[in-house]
Amino acid sequence: FDWAFFIERIVNPGAPYLNALGRTVTMAVLAMLLGLLIGLVVGFGRLSRFAVIRSACAFYVWFIRGIPVLVLLVMLFYGMAAAGLFRFSDIDVFGLKLTASFQAAVIGLAIHEGAYMAEIVRNGVQSVARGQVEAAKSLGMSPWLVTWRIVIPQATRVIVPPFGNDFNHMLKTTSLASVIGVQEIFLLTEAMSATTFKSFELLSVVALNYLVLTAIWN
């Protein structure tokens, strides 16, 4: 084990590695926010009084939770293009270039996270006492106002803790995006290993980085 090389990579990781680290965090944040939106829609859909909506949302949760993240990412990026259904392409947003693989990774991770967030949201909503909802309705509140003023504030207390745990998981899951070519820290580490032959030292560095990221969030 080359301790000098290991310490050097920690103290002076270099601009490419820092860019990859920023890309990792950005990907996790965007996927988590989009997954939260999906989870809110699907979670409330699972509580809908319409059987069709409940069934559709339940199928989404069952289907997505049964597919490995790696398979989902590859299907979105390579599978859909091969089938002629959709092909991601690079775009510019406010002067920032979003590569096709980055877009596919964010969407794929968000779709996967949305299935788990839906269950978290559903459990949070169901934790609100039914009597409070009925009391709000008796005061003349509309269903939307009851949801916004009564249900969501109380459900948030139940939703936030598992949401934090899920974000920790998301930070680590971003490493799977390397399979579709996203230049995050794991893929960059693999490329550096091929040129320096310091695989164990570099993998130790990236493992330490993930540990620090999750520790900071905790």
Side-chain angles (χ1 to χ4, degrees):
F1 190 88
D2 190 338
W3 285 101
F5 180 83
F6 174 75
I7 295 173
E8 173 63 22
R9 296 310 307 173
I10 293 177
V11 176
N12 184 28
Y17 192 88
L18 292 177
N19 290 336
L21 181 61
R23 194 172 295 113
T24 295
V25 175
T26 301
M27 182 165 47
V29 171
L30 291 177
M32 200 68 196
L33 291 177
L34 185 55
L36 175 60
L37 292 177
I38 296 173
L40 286 171
V41 173
V42 177
F44 276 99
R46 292 210 63 188
L47 299 172
S48 173
R49 66 176 183 271
F50 300 107
V52 174
I53 297 178
R54 289 199 309 271
S55 299
C57 292
F59 176 80
Y60 167 81
V61 172
W62 169 79
F63 183 74
I64 296 300
R65 290 179 69 172
I67 299 177
V69 183
L70 183 61
V71 174
L72 181 60
L73 292 176
V74 174
M75 284 179 63
L76 278 176
F77 191 62
Y78 295 117
M80 292 181 63
L85 298 175
F86 181 78
R87 184 183 298 274
F88 288 91
S89 57
D90 297 349
I91 60 173
D92 288 320
V93 179
F94 302 114
L96 297 175
K97 182 179 180 180
L98 299 181
T99 63
S101 58
F102 182 85
Q103 297 170 53
V106 169
I107 293 174
L109 292 172
I111 290 174
H112 183 266
E113 180 59 30
Y116 288 88
M117 281 305 306
E119 291 300 278
I120 293 173
V121 170
R122 182 172 68 89
N123 291 333
V125 172
Q126 289 181 325
S127 70
V128 179
R130 187 66 185 174
Q132 296 191 40
V133 176
E134 295 298 333
K137 289 181 179 179
S138 68
L139 293 175
M141 288 187 177
S142 66
W144 284 107
L145 189 58
V146 171
T147 301
W148 182 252
R149 298 288 298 274
I150 305 298
V151 176
I152 291 181
Q154 296 185 67
T156 299
R157 293 181 299 177
V158 178
I159 294 172
V160 168
F163 177 83
N165 291 334
D166 270 19
F167 184 69
N168 260 348
H169 182 260
M170 177 65 74
L171 281 169
K172 293 175 285 187
T173 307
T174 55
S175 60
L176 296 177
S178 61
V179 175
I180 60 174
V182 179
Q183 288 289 332
E184 41 73 61
I185 54 177
F186 182 69
L187 183 60
L188 185 62
T189 296
E190 287 188 317
M192 293 170 61
S193 297
T195 57
T196 62
F197 301 104
K198 302 285 186 179
S199 299
F200 190 67
E201 290 86 347
L202 289 169
L203 288 172
S204 297
V205 171
V206 77
L208 181 61
N209 286 157
Y210 281 120
L211 182 61
V212 170
L213 287 174
T214 55
I216 290 174
W217 177 251
N218 284 332

Coordinates of all heavy atoms in Angstrom, one line a residue, residues 141-187:
M141 N -63.5 23.3 5.4 CA -62.3 23.3 4.6 C -62.5 22.4 3.4 O -63.1 21.3 3.5 CB -61.1 22.8 5.4 CG -60.6 23.8 6.4 SD -59.0 23.2 7.2 CE -58.7 24.5 8.3
S142 N -61.9 22.8 2.2 CA -61.9 22.0 1.0 C -60.9 20.9 1.2 O -60.0 20.9 2.0 CB -61.6 22.8 -0.2 OG -60.3 23.3 -0.1
P143 N -61.1 19.8 0.4 CA -60.1 18.7 0.4 C -58.6 19.1 0.3 O -57.7 18.7 0.9 CB -60.5 17.8 -0.7 CG -62.0 18.0 -0.8 CD -62.2 19.5 -0.5
W144 N -58.4 20.1 -0.7 CA -57.1 20.6 -0.9 C -56.5 21.4 0.3 O -55.4 21.2 0.7 CB -57.0 21.5 -2.2 CG -57.1 20.7 -3.4 CD1 -58.1 20.6 -4.3 CD2 -56.0 19.9 -4.0 NE1 -57.8 19.8 -5.4 CE2 -56.5 19.4 -5.2 CE3 -54.7 19.6 -3.6 CZ2 -55.7 18.6 -6.0 CZ3 -53.9 18.8 -4.4 CH2 -54.5 18.3 -5.6
L145 N -57.4 22.2 0.9 CA -57.0 22.9 2.1 C -56.7 22.0 3.3 O -55.8 22.2 4.0 CB -58.1 24.0 2.4 CG -57.7 25.0 3.5 CD1 -56.5 25.8 3.1 CD2 -58.9 25.9 3.8
V146 N -57.5 21.0 3.4 CA -57.3 20.0 4.5 C -55.9 19.3 4.3 O -55.1 19.2 5.2 CB -58.4 18.9 4.5 CG1 -58.0 17.8 5.5 CG2 -59.7 19.6 4.9
T147 N -55.6 19.0 3.0 CA -54.3 18.3 2.7 C -53.2 19.3 3.0 O -52.2 18.9 3.7 CB -54.3 17.9 1.3 OG1 -55.4 17.0 1.0 CG2 -53.0 17.2 0.9
W148 N -53.3 20.5 2.6 CA -52.2 21.5 2.7 C -52.0 22.0 4.2 O -50.9 22.1 4.6 CB -52.5 22.7 1.8 CG -51.4 23.7 1.8 CD1 -51.4 24.9 2.3 CD2 -50.1 23.6 1.2 NE1 -50.2 25.6 2.1 CE2 -49.4 24.8 1.5 CE3 -49.4 22.5 0.5 CZ2 -48.1 25.0 1.0 CZ3 -48.1 22.8 0.1 CH2 -47.5 24.0 0.4
R149 N -53.1 22.2 4.9 CA -53.0 22.8 6.2 C -53.0 21.8 7.4 O -52.5 22.1 8.4 CB -54.2 23.8 6.4 CG -54.3 24.9 5.5 CD -53.2 25.9 5.8 NE -53.4 26.5 7.1 CZ -54.1 27.6 7.4 NH1 -54.8 28.1 6.4 NH2 -54.2 28.0 8.6
I150 N -53.6 20.6 7.2 CA -53.7 19.6 8.2 C -52.8 18.4 8.0 O -52.0 18.0 8.9 CB -55.2 19.2 8.4 CG1 -56.1 20.4 8.6 CG2 -55.3 18.2 9.6 CD1 -55.8 21.2 9.9
V151 N -52.9 17.8 6.8 CA -52.3 16.5 6.6 C -50.8 16.7 6.4 O -50.0 16.0 7.1 CB -52.9 15.8 5.4 CG1 -52.2 14.5 5.1 CG2 -54.4 15.5 5.7
I152 N -50.4 17.5 5.4 CA -49.0 17.6 5.1 C -48.1 18.0 6.2 O -47.0 17.4 6.5 CB -48.8 18.5 3.8 CG1 -49.4 17.9 2.6 CG2 -47.3 18.9 3.6 CD1 -49.2 18.7 1.3
P153 N -48.4 19.1 7.0 CA -47.6 19.5 8.1 C -47.3 18.4 9.1 O -46.2 18.2 9.6 CB -48.3 20.7 8.8 CG -49.1 21.2 7.7 CD -49.6 20.0 6.9
Q154 N -48.3 17.6 9.4 CA -48.2 16.5 10.4 C -47.5 15.3 9.8 O -46.7 14.6 10.4 CB -49.5 16.1 11.0 CG -50.2 17.2 11.7 CD -51.5 16.7 12.4 OE1 -51.5 15.9 13.3 NE2 -52.6 17.3 11.9
A155 N -47.8 15.0 8.5 CA -47.1 13.9 7.8 C -45.6 14.1 7.6 O -44.9 13.2 7.6 CB -47.8 13.6 6.5
T156 N -45.3 15.4 7.5 CA -43.8 15.7 7.3 C -43.0 15.2 8.4 O -41.8 14.8 8.2 CB -43.7 17.3 7.2 OG1 -44.4 17.7 6.1 CG2 -42.2 17.6 6.9
R157 N -43.5 15.2 9.6 CA -42.7 14.7 10.8 C -42.3 13.2 10.6 O -41.3 12.8 11.1 CB -43.4 15.0 12.1 CG -43.6 16.4 12.5 CD -44.4 16.6 13.7 NE -45.7 16.0 13.7 CZ -46.5 15.9 14.7 NH1 -46.2 16.4 15.9 NH2 -47.7 15.4 14.6
V158 N -43.2 12.5 10.0 CA -43.0 11.1 9.7 C -42.1 10.8 8.5 O -41.4 9.9 8.4 CB -44.3 10.3 9.6 CG1 -44.1 8.9 9.3 CG2 -45.2 10.5 10.9
I159 N -42.3 11.7 7.5 CA -41.6 11.6 6.2 C -40.1 11.9 6.3 O -39.3 11.3 5.7 CB -42.3 12.4 5.1 CG1 -43.7 11.9 4.9 CG2 -41.5 12.4 3.8 CD1 -44.6 12.7 4.0
V160 N -39.8 13.0 7.0 CA -38.4 13.5 7.0 C -37.3 12.5 7.4 O -36.3 12.4 6.8 CB -38.3 14.8 7.9 CG1 -36.9 15.2 8.1 CG2 -39.1 15.9 7.2
P161 N -37.5 11.8 8.6 CA -36.4 10.9 9.0 C -36.0 9.8 7.9 O -34.8 9.7 7.5 CB -36.9 10.2 10.2 CG -37.9 11.2 10.8 CD -38.5 11.9 9.6
P162 N -37.0 9.1 7.3 CA -36.6 8.1 6.3 C -36.1 8.8 5.0 O -35.4 8.2 4.3 CB -37.9 7.3 6.0 CG -39.0 8.2 6.6 CD -38.4 8.9 7.7
F163 N -36.6 10.0 4.8 CA -36.1 10.8 3.6 C -34.6 11.0 3.7 O -33.9 10.9 2.8 CB -36.8 12.1 3.5 CG -36.3 13.0 2.4 CD1 -36.8 12.8 1.1 CD2 -35.4 14.0 2.6 CE1 -36.3 13.6 0.0 CE2 -35.0 14.8 1.6 CZ -35.4 14.6 0.3
G164 N -34.1 11.4 4.9 CA -32.7 11.6 5.2 C -31.9 10.3 5.0 O -30.8 10.3 4.4
N165 N -32.5 9.2 5.4 CA -31.8 7.9 5.2 C -31.7 7.5 3.7 O -30.7 7.0 3.3 CB -32.5 6.8 6.0 CG -32.4 6.9 7.5 OD1 -31.4 7.5 8.0 ND2 -33.3 6.4 8.2
D166 N -32.8 7.8 3.0 CA -32.8 7.6 1.6 C -31.8 8.4 0.8 O -31.2 7.9 -0.2 CB -34.2 7.8 1.0 CG -35.1 6.6 1.1 OD1 -34.7 5.7 1.9 OD2 -36.1 6.5 0.3
F167 N -31.5 9.6 1.3 CA -30.6 10.5 0.6 C -29.2 9.9 0.8 O -28.3 9.9 -0.1 CB -30.6 11.9 1.1 CG -29.7 12.8 0.3 CD1 -29.9 13.1 -1.0 CD2 -28.5 13.3 0.9 CE1 -29.1 14.0 -1.7 CE2 -27.7 14.2 0.2 CZ -28.0 14.5 -1.1
N168 N -28.9 9.4 1.9 CA -27.6 8.7 2.2 C -27.4 7.5 1.2 O -26.4 7.3 0.6 CB -27.5 8.2 3.6 CG -26.7 9.1 4.5 OD1 -26.0 10.0 4.0 ND2 -26.8 8.8 5.8
H169 N -28.5 6.8 1.0 CA -28.5 5.7 0.1 C -28.3 6.2 -1.3 O -27.6 5.5 -2.1 CB -29.8 4.8 0.2 CG -29.8 3.7 -0.7 ND1 -30.5 3.7 -1.9 CD2 -29.3 2.4 -0.5 CE1 -30.4 2.5 -2.4 NE2 -29.6 1.7 -1.7
M170 N -28.9 7.3 -1.7 CA -28.8 7.8 -3.0 C -27.4 8.2 -3.3 O -26.9 8.0 -4.5 CB -29.8 9.0 -3.1 CG -29.7 9.7 -4.5 SD -30.2 8.7 -5.9 CE -32.0 8.7 -5.6
L171 N -26.7 8.9 -2.4 CA -25.3 9.3 -2.6 C -24.4 8.1 -3.0 O -23.6 8.2 -3.9 CB -24.7 9.9 -1.3 CG -25.1 11.4 -1.0 CD1 -24.7 11.7 0.4 CD2 -24.5 12.3 -2.0
K172 N -24.7 6.9 -2.4 CA -23.9 5.8 -2.7 C -24.3 5.1 -4.0 O -23.5 4.5 -4.7 CB -23.9 4.8 -1.5 CG -23.2 5.3 -0.2 CD -23.4 4.4 0.9 CE -24.8 4.4 1.5 NZ -24.9 3.6 2.7
T173 N -25.6 5.2 -4.3 CA -26.2 4.5 -5.5 C -25.7 5.2 -6.7 O -25.7 4.6 -7.8 CB -27.7 4.5 -5.4 OG1 -28.1 3.9 -4.2 CG2 -28.3 3.7 -6.5
T174 N -25.3 6.5 -6.6 CA -24.9 7.2 -7.8 C -23.7 6.6 -8.5 O -23.4 6.8 -9.7 CB -24.5 8.7 -7.5 OG1 -23.5 8.7 -6.4 CG2 -25.7 9.5 -7.0
S175 N -22.9 5.7 -7.8 CA -21.8 5.0 -8.3 C -22.2 4.1 -9.5 O -21.4 3.8 -10.4 CB -21.0 4.2 -7.3 OG -21.9 3.3 -6.7
L176 N -23.5 3.7 -9.5 CA -24.0 2.8 -10.5 C -24.1 3.5 -11.9 O -24.1 2.9 -12.9 CB -25.3 2.2 -10.1 CG -25.3 1.3 -8.9 CD1 -26.8 0.8 -8.6 CD2 -24.4 0.0 -9.2
A177 N -24.2 4.8 -11.8 CA -24.3 5.6 -13.0 C -23.0 5.5 -13.9 O -23.0 5.9 -15.1 CB -24.5 7.1 -12.7
S178 N -21.9 5.0 -13.3 CA -20.7 4.8 -14.1 C -20.9 3.8 -15.2 O -20.2 3.9 -16.2 CB -19.6 4.4 -13.1 OG -19.9 3.1 -12.6
V179 N -21.8 2.9 -15.1 CA -22.1 1.9 -16.1 C -22.6 2.5 -17.4 O -22.3 2.0 -18.5 CB -23.1 0.9 -15.6 CG1 -23.5 -0.1 -16.6 CG2 -22.6 0.2 -14.3
I180 N -23.3 3.7 -17.3 CA -23.7 4.3 -18.5 C -22.9 5.5 -18.9 O -23.2 6.3 -19.7 CB -25.2 4.7 -18.4 CG1 -25.4 5.7 -17.2 CG2 -26.1 3.5 -18.2 CD1 -26.8 6.3 -17.2
G181 N -21.7 5.6 -18.3 CA -20.7 6.6 -18.7 C -20.7 7.9 -18.0 O -20.1 8.9 -18.5
V182 N -21.4 8.0 -16.9 CA -21.4 9.3 -16.2 C -20.1 9.5 -15.5 O -19.6 8.6 -14.7 CB -22.6 9.4 -15.1 CG1 -22.5 10.7 -14.4 CG2 -23.9 9.2 -15.8
Q183 N -19.4 10.6 -15.7 CA -18.1 10.8 -15.1 C -18.2 11.3 -13.7 O -17.9 12.4 -13.3 CB -17.4 11.9 -15.9 CG -16.9 11.4 -17.3 CD -15.7 10.5 -17.2 OE1 -15.0 10.5 -16.3 NE2 -15.6 9.6 -18.2
E184 N -18.6 10.3 -12.8 CA -18.7 10.6 -11.4 C -17.4 10.0 -10.8 O -16.5 9.5 -11.5 CB -19.9 10.1 -10.7 CG -20.4 8.7 -11.2 CD -19.5 7.6 -10.7 OE1 -19.5 7.5 -9.4 OE2 -18.9 6.9 -11.5
I185 N -17.3 10.1 -9.4 CA -16.0 9.8 -8.8 C -15.6 8.3 -9.0 O -14.4 8.0 -9.1 CB -16.0 10.2 -7.3 CG1 -17.1 9.6 -6.6 CG2 -16.0 11.7 -7.2 CD1 -17.1 9.9 -5.1
F186 N -16.5 7.4 -9.1 CA -16.2 6.0 -9.2 C -15.6 5.7 -10.6 O -14.6 5.0 -10.7 CB -17.4 5.1 -8.9 CG -17.0 3.6 -9.0 CD1 -16.2 3.0 -8.0 CD2 -17.5 2.9 -10.0 CE1 -15.9 1.7 -8.1 CE2 -17.2 1.5 -10.1 CZ -16.4 0.9 -9.1
L187 N -16.3 6.2 -11.6 CA -15.8 6.0 -13.0 C -14.4 6.7 -13.2 O -13.5 6.1 -13.8 CB -16.8 6.5 -14.0 CG -16.4 6.3 -15.5 CD1 -16.3 4.8 -15.8 CD2 -17.4 6.9 -16.4

